[in-house]
Amino acid sequence: MLQTIDAFDRIGEENAFAVLARATALAQGGKDIINLGIGQPDFQTPEHIVEAAIKALRDGHHGYTPANGLLAAREAVVRRTMTTTGVEVSPENVMIMPGGKPTLFAAILMFGARGVEILYPDPGFPIYRSMIEFTGATPVPVPMREENGFAFSAEETLGLITPNTRLLILNSPANPTGGVTPRTEIETLVRGLEAHPHVAILSDEIYDVMTYDGEAHTSLLQFPEIRERLIVLNGWSKTWAMTGWRMGWSIWPNAPESGHLYDKVRKLAVNCWSCVNAPSQFAGIAAIDGPQDEVDRMMRAFDRRRKIVVEGLNGIEGFSCVTPKGAFYAFPNISATGWPAKKLASTLLEQAGVALIAGPDFGILGEGYLRLSYANSEENILRALERISSFLSR
Ligand code: PLP
């Protein structure tokens, strides 16, 4: 047998993709499956964005682009960041990445090693823990508690920092819970971080514009005191329904005291993916600079569905669901049903034809919960709720 380095025995997966594969196989076998599993908008990328990519190809943009991205794409990100956060960043700090995940990969790789601790949200996006373990670092879960609206608690987070902590991963609005961390809590956290200048911060803000009920997203970029140790992840996947285009961006510090993180990630890009394909970058510019009415329409649809999902889930015996304030996920507590979450999720898929993800796929503290993505039609959501309800009352 060939012997790979042991890091590859520790690398994990995103179970949402496995559930998607199983749901697709069942559907191809003739079963009627409603998919509330995968976290991607059920909308098409707006037409003017698609056209911009086609035009770029027709105009002959077929070659390599700079490893950090086209200047025009980075400048578009600068404009976007100003609109959403009011903060001026330099195109010299913007990386155009092939999706959101490569920023996680790069940042965790830069700081992770044996003997190092990395803090990450639990329940949280599964790639955080998987990549931390890949590097050999010790994953330190920061509990996202239901009674706290699945938000970060500044006090609890700060209490987990030790001299060995090198990186703190934040995510708000959050996958899988829809939790949004309030500004006051972030302010307290940033103040507390002053006492820990050895800790870098990776803020995953990929759902930044997906908030409801007037709840505003707070970007960590709004705190200049941590700018030289802050990496911000964002991208096109969710906001403009572009998951398959593989387009993300991130903002990295590059001052000497930051350890020139930007230069490092740019070199990693040269060594790994060279650059992001040109037509996608032209599409990305069109997404940022073009009309946003389709994004608004999508958000209104998500908001309607969110209310339907929460009301429906709270009507199911043994389920209770806090109202998510962001993203497009609901995270009902199912412990009163007596079912272990993974067993319930797989049984609902096989017997009721509803694909969703078990809470433990997002961390140890996800036991007793399910994640439903409401990126599906109102009609399908209602049918899925009905199926879950009648399955449980059997
Ligand atoms: N971060 C979070 C919190 C996510 O939920 C996702 C996708 O589900 C990503 C990052 C990765 O995004 P992308 O598909 O652009 O790689």
Side-chain angles (χ1 to χ4, degrees), residues 73-121:
R74 289 183 284 122
E75 285 175 345
V77 168
V78 169
R79 289 192 289 281
R80 171 77 181 174
T81 306
M82 176 53 88
T83 309
T84 52
T85 68
V87 175
E88 176 143 24
V89 296
S90 160
E92 303 301 308
N93 292 93
V94 176
M95 277 294 295
I96 306 295
M97 304 288 266
K101 277 179 184 164
T103 293
L104 298 177
F105 181 79
I108 297 172
L109 215 55
M110 272 183 206
F111 292 99
R114 284 206 191 282
V116 161
E117 292 166 13
I118 299 184
L119 271 55
Y120 70 102

Coordinates of all heavy atoms in Angstrom, one line a residue, residues 73-121:
A73 N -11.2 43.3 -11.0 CA -12.0 42.5 -10.1 C -11.7 42.9 -8.6 O -12.6 43.1 -7.8 CB -11.7 41.0 -10.3
R74 N -10.4 43.2 -8.4 CA -10.0 43.6 -7.0 C -10.6 45.0 -6.7 O -11.0 45.3 -5.6 CB -8.5 43.5 -6.8 CG -8.0 42.1 -6.8 CD -6.5 42.0 -6.5 NE -5.7 42.3 -7.7 CZ -4.8 43.2 -7.7 NH1 -4.5 43.9 -6.7 NH2 -4.1 43.5 -8.8
E75 N -10.6 45.8 -7.7 CA -11.2 47.2 -7.5 C -12.7 47.1 -7.3 O -13.3 47.9 -6.5 CB -10.8 48.1 -8.7 CG -9.4 48.5 -8.6 CD -8.9 49.4 -9.8 OE1 -9.6 49.4 -10.8 OE2 -7.9 50.0 -9.7
A76 N -13.3 46.2 -7.9 CA -14.8 46.0 -7.7 C -15.0 45.5 -6.3 O -16.0 46.0 -5.6 CB -15.3 44.9 -8.7
V77 N -14.2 44.7 -5.8 CA -14.3 44.2 -4.4 C -14.1 45.4 -3.4 O -14.8 45.5 -2.4 CB -13.3 43.1 -4.0 CG1 -13.2 42.8 -2.5 CG2 -13.7 41.8 -4.8
V78 N -13.2 46.3 -3.8 CA -13.0 47.5 -2.9 C -14.3 48.3 -2.9 O -14.7 48.7 -1.8 CB -11.8 48.3 -3.5 CG1 -11.7 49.7 -2.9 CG2 -10.5 47.6 -3.4
R79 N -14.9 48.5 -4.0 CA -16.2 49.3 -4.1 C -17.3 48.6 -3.3 O -18.0 49.2 -2.5 CB -16.7 49.4 -5.5 CG -15.9 50.4 -6.4 CD -16.6 50.7 -7.7 NE -16.6 49.6 -8.6 CZ -15.6 49.2 -9.4 NH1 -14.4 49.9 -9.3 NH2 -15.7 48.2 -10.2
R80 N -17.3 47.2 -3.4 CA -18.3 46.5 -2.7 C -18.1 46.6 -1.2 O -19.1 46.7 -0.4 CB -18.2 45.0 -3.2 CG -19.0 44.0 -2.4 CD -20.5 44.1 -2.8 NE -21.3 43.2 -2.0 CZ -22.6 43.1 -2.1 NH1 -23.2 43.9 -2.9 NH2 -23.3 42.3 -1.3
T81 N -16.9 46.5 -0.8 CA -16.6 46.5 0.7 C -17.0 47.9 1.2 O -17.5 48.0 2.3 CB -15.1 46.2 0.9 OG1 -14.8 45.0 0.2 CG2 -14.7 46.1 2.3
M82 N -16.7 48.9 0.4 CA -17.1 50.3 0.9 C -18.7 50.3 1.0 O -19.2 50.9 2.0 CB -16.6 51.3 -0.1 CG -17.1 52.7 0.1 SD -16.7 53.3 1.8 CE -15.0 53.9 1.6
T83 N -19.4 49.8 0.1 CA -20.9 49.8 0.1 C -21.4 49.0 1.4 O -22.3 49.5 2.0 CB -21.5 49.2 -1.1 OG1 -20.8 49.8 -2.3 CG2 -22.9 49.3 -1.2
T84 N -20.8 47.9 1.6 CA -21.4 47.0 2.6 C -20.9 47.3 4.0 O -21.6 47.0 5.0 CB -21.2 45.5 2.3 OG1 -19.8 45.3 2.1 CG2 -22.0 45.1 1.1
T85 N -19.6 47.9 4.1 CA -19.1 48.0 5.5 C -18.7 49.5 5.8 O -18.4 49.8 6.9 CB -17.8 47.2 5.6 OG1 -16.7 47.8 4.8 CG2 -18.0 45.8 5.3
G86 N -18.6 50.3 4.7 CA -18.2 51.7 4.9 C -16.7 51.8 5.1 O -16.2 52.9 5.5
V87 N -16.0 50.7 4.8 CA -14.5 50.7 5.1 C -13.8 50.7 3.8 O -14.1 50.0 2.8 CB -14.1 49.4 5.9 CG1 -12.6 49.4 6.1 CG2 -14.8 49.4 7.3
E88 N -12.7 51.5 3.7 CA -11.9 51.6 2.5 C -10.8 50.6 2.6 O -9.9 50.7 3.6 CB -11.3 53.0 2.4 CG -10.4 53.1 1.2 CD -10.5 54.4 0.5 OE1 -11.0 55.4 1.1 OE2 -10.2 54.5 -0.7
V89 N -10.7 49.6 1.7 CA -9.6 48.7 1.7 C -8.8 49.0 0.4 O -9.3 49.6 -0.5 CB -10.0 47.2 1.8 CG1 -10.7 46.9 3.1 CG2 -10.9 46.8 0.6
S90 N -7.6 48.5 0.3 CA -6.8 48.7 -0.9 C -6.9 47.5 -1.8 O -6.9 46.4 -1.2 CB -5.3 49.0 -0.5 OG -4.5 48.7 -1.6
P91 N -6.9 47.7 -3.1 CA -6.9 46.5 -4.0 C -5.6 45.6 -3.7 O -5.6 44.4 -4.1 CB -6.9 47.1 -5.4 CG -6.6 48.5 -5.3 CD -6.9 48.9 -3.9
E92 N -4.6 46.3 -3.1 CA -3.4 45.5 -2.8 C -3.5 44.5 -1.6 O -2.6 43.8 -1.3 CB -2.2 46.5 -2.4 CG -1.9 47.5 -3.5 CD -1.5 46.9 -4.8 OE1 -0.6 46.1 -4.7 OE2 -2.1 47.2 -5.8
N93 N -4.7 44.6 -1.0 CA -5.0 43.6 0.1 C -6.1 42.6 -0.3 O -6.5 41.8 0.5 CB -5.4 44.4 1.4 CG -4.3 45.2 1.9 OD1 -4.1 46.4 1.6 ND2 -3.4 44.6 2.7
V94 N -6.6 42.7 -1.5 CA -7.7 41.9 -2.0 C -7.1 40.7 -2.8 O -6.4 40.9 -3.7 CB -8.7 42.7 -2.8 CG1 -9.8 41.7 -3.3 CG2 -9.3 43.8 -2.0
M95 N -7.5 39.5 -2.4 CA -7.2 38.3 -3.2 C -8.5 37.8 -3.9 O -9.5 37.7 -3.2 CB -6.7 37.2 -2.3 CG -5.3 37.2 -2.0 SD -4.1 36.9 -3.3 CE -4.5 35.2 -3.9
I96 N -8.5 37.6 -5.2 CA -9.6 36.9 -5.8 C -9.3 35.4 -5.7 O -8.2 35.0 -6.1 CB -9.8 37.3 -7.3 CG1 -9.9 38.9 -7.4 CG2 -11.0 36.6 -7.9 CD1 -11.1 39.5 -6.7
M97 N -10.2 34.6 -5.2 CA -10.0 33.2 -4.9 C -11.0 32.3 -5.7 O -12.1 32.8 -6.0 CB -10.1 33.0 -3.4 CG -9.2 33.8 -2.5 SD -7.5 33.4 -2.6 CE -7.4 32.2 -1.2
P98 N -10.6 31.1 -5.9 CA -11.5 30.2 -6.6 C -12.6 29.6 -5.6 O -12.6 28.4 -5.3 CB -10.6 29.1 -7.1 CG -9.4 29.1 -6.3 CD -9.2 30.5 -5.8
G99 N -13.4 30.5 -5.1 CA -14.4 30.1 -4.1 C -14.1 30.6 -2.7 O -13.0 31.3 -2.5
G100 N -15.0 30.4 -1.8 CA -14.8 30.8 -0.4 C -13.8 29.9 0.3 O -12.9 30.3 1.1
K101 N -13.9 28.6 0.0 CA -13.1 27.6 0.8 C -11.6 27.8 0.7 O -10.9 27.6 1.7 CB -13.4 26.2 0.3 CG -14.7 25.6 1.0 CD -15.0 24.2 0.5 CE -16.3 23.7 1.1 NZ -16.8 22.5 0.4
P102 N -11.0 28.2 -0.5 CA -9.6 28.3 -0.5 C -9.0 29.3 0.5 O -7.9 29.2 0.9 CB -9.3 28.7 -2.0 CG -10.4 28.1 -2.7 CD -11.6 28.3 -1.8
T103 N -9.8 30.3 0.9 CA -9.3 31.2 1.9 C -9.2 30.5 3.2 O -8.2 30.7 4.0 CB -10.2 32.4 2.0 OG1 -10.1 33.2 0.8 CG2 -9.9 33.3 3.2
L104 N -10.2 29.7 3.5 CA -10.1 28.9 4.8 C -8.8 28.0 4.7 O -8.1 27.9 5.7 CB -11.3 27.9 4.9 CG -12.7 28.6 5.1 CD1 -13.7 27.5 5.1 CD2 -12.7 29.4 6.3
F105 N -8.7 27.3 3.6 CA -7.6 26.4 3.4 C -6.2 27.2 3.7 O -5.4 26.7 4.4 CB -7.7 25.9 2.0 CG -6.6 24.9 1.6 CD1 -6.7 23.6 2.0 CD2 -5.5 25.3 0.8 CE1 -5.7 22.7 1.7 CE2 -4.5 24.4 0.5 CZ -4.6 23.1 0.9
A106 N -6.1 28.3 3.0 CA -4.8 29.0 3.1 C -4.6 29.6 4.5 O -3.5 29.4 5.0 CB -4.9 30.2 2.1
A107 N -5.6 30.1 5.1 CA -5.4 30.7 6.4 C -5.1 29.7 7.5 O -4.2 29.9 8.3 CB -6.7 31.5 6.8
I108 N -5.8 28.6 7.4 CA -5.6 27.5 8.4 C -4.3 26.9 8.2 O -3.5 26.6 9.2 CB -6.8 26.5 8.5 CG1 -8.1 27.3 8.9 CG2 -6.5 25.4 9.4 CD1 -9.4 26.5 8.7
L109 N -3.9 26.7 7.0 CA -2.6 26.2 6.7 C -1.4 27.1 7.2 O -0.4 26.6 7.6 CB -2.5 26.0 5.1 CG -1.7 24.9 4.5 CD1 -2.2 23.5 5.1 CD2 -1.8 24.9 3.0
M110 N -1.7 28.4 7.1 CA -0.6 29.3 7.5 C -0.4 29.3 9.0 O 0.7 29.6 9.5 CB -1.1 30.8 7.2 CG -0.7 31.2 5.8 SD -1.2 32.9 5.6 CE -1.4 32.9 3.8
F111 N -1.4 29.0 9.8 CA -1.3 29.1 11.2 C -1.3 27.7 11.9 O -0.8 27.6 13.1 CB -2.4 30.0 11.8 CG -2.2 31.4 11.5 CD1 -2.9 31.9 10.4 CD2 -1.3 32.2 12.1 CE1 -2.8 33.3 10.0 CE2 -1.1 33.5 11.7 CZ -1.8 34.1 10.7
G112 N -1.8 26.7 11.3 CA -2.0 25.4 11.9 C -0.7 24.6 12.0 O 0.0 24.5 11.0
A113 N -0.4 24.0 13.1 CA 0.8 23.1 13.3 C 0.6 22.4 14.6 O -0.2 22.9 15.5 CB 2.1 23.8 13.2
R114 N 1.3 21.3 14.8 CA 1.2 20.6 16.1 C 1.6 21.6 17.2 O 2.5 22.4 17.1 CB 2.2 19.4 16.1 CG 1.6 18.3 15.4 CD 2.1 16.9 15.8 NE 1.8 15.9 14.9 CZ 0.5 15.4 14.8 NH1 -0.4 15.7 15.7 NH2 0.2 14.5 13.9
G115 N 0.8 21.5 18.3 CA 1.1 22.4 19.5 C 0.4 23.7 19.4 O 0.4 24.5 20.4
V116 N -0.2 24.0 18.3 CA -1.0 25.2 18.1 C -2.5 25.0 18.3 O -3.0 23.9 18.0 CB -0.7 25.7 16.7 CG1 -1.8 26.7 16.2 CG2 0.7 26.3 16.5
E117 N -3.2 25.9 18.9 CA -4.6 25.8 19.1 C -5.3 26.8 18.2 O -4.9 27.9 18.0 CB -5.0 26.1 20.6 CG -4.5 25.0 21.5 CD -4.5 25.4 23.0 OE1 -5.2 26.4 23.3 OE2 -3.9 24.7 23.8
I118 N -6.4 26.3 17.6 CA -7.2 27.1 16.7 C -8.6 27.1 17.2 O -9.2 26.0 17.3 CB -7.1 26.7 15.2 CG1 -5.6 26.9 14.7 CG2 -8.0 27.6 14.3 CD1 -5.4 26.6 13.3
L119 N -9.2 28.2 17.4 CA -10.6 28.3 17.9 C -11.6 28.4 16.7 O -11.3 29.2 15.8 CB -10.8 29.5 18.8 CG -10.5 29.4 20.3 CD1 -9.1 28.9 20.5 CD2 -10.7 30.7 21.0
Y120 N -12.6 27.6 16.8 CA -13.6 27.7 15.7 C -15.0 27.4 16.2 O -15.2 26.8 17.3 CB -13.2 26.6 14.6 CG -13.5 25.2 15.2 CD1 -14.6 24.5 14.8 CD2 -12.6 24.6 16.2 CE1 -14.9 23.2 15.4 CE2 -12.9 23.4 16.7 CZ -14.0 22.7 16.3 OH -14.3 21.5 16.9
P121 N -16.1 27.9 15.6 CA -17.4 27.7 16.1 C -17.9 26.3 16.0 O -17.7 25.6 15.0 CB -18.2 28.7 15.2 CG -17.5 28.8 13.9 CD -16.0 28.7 14.3

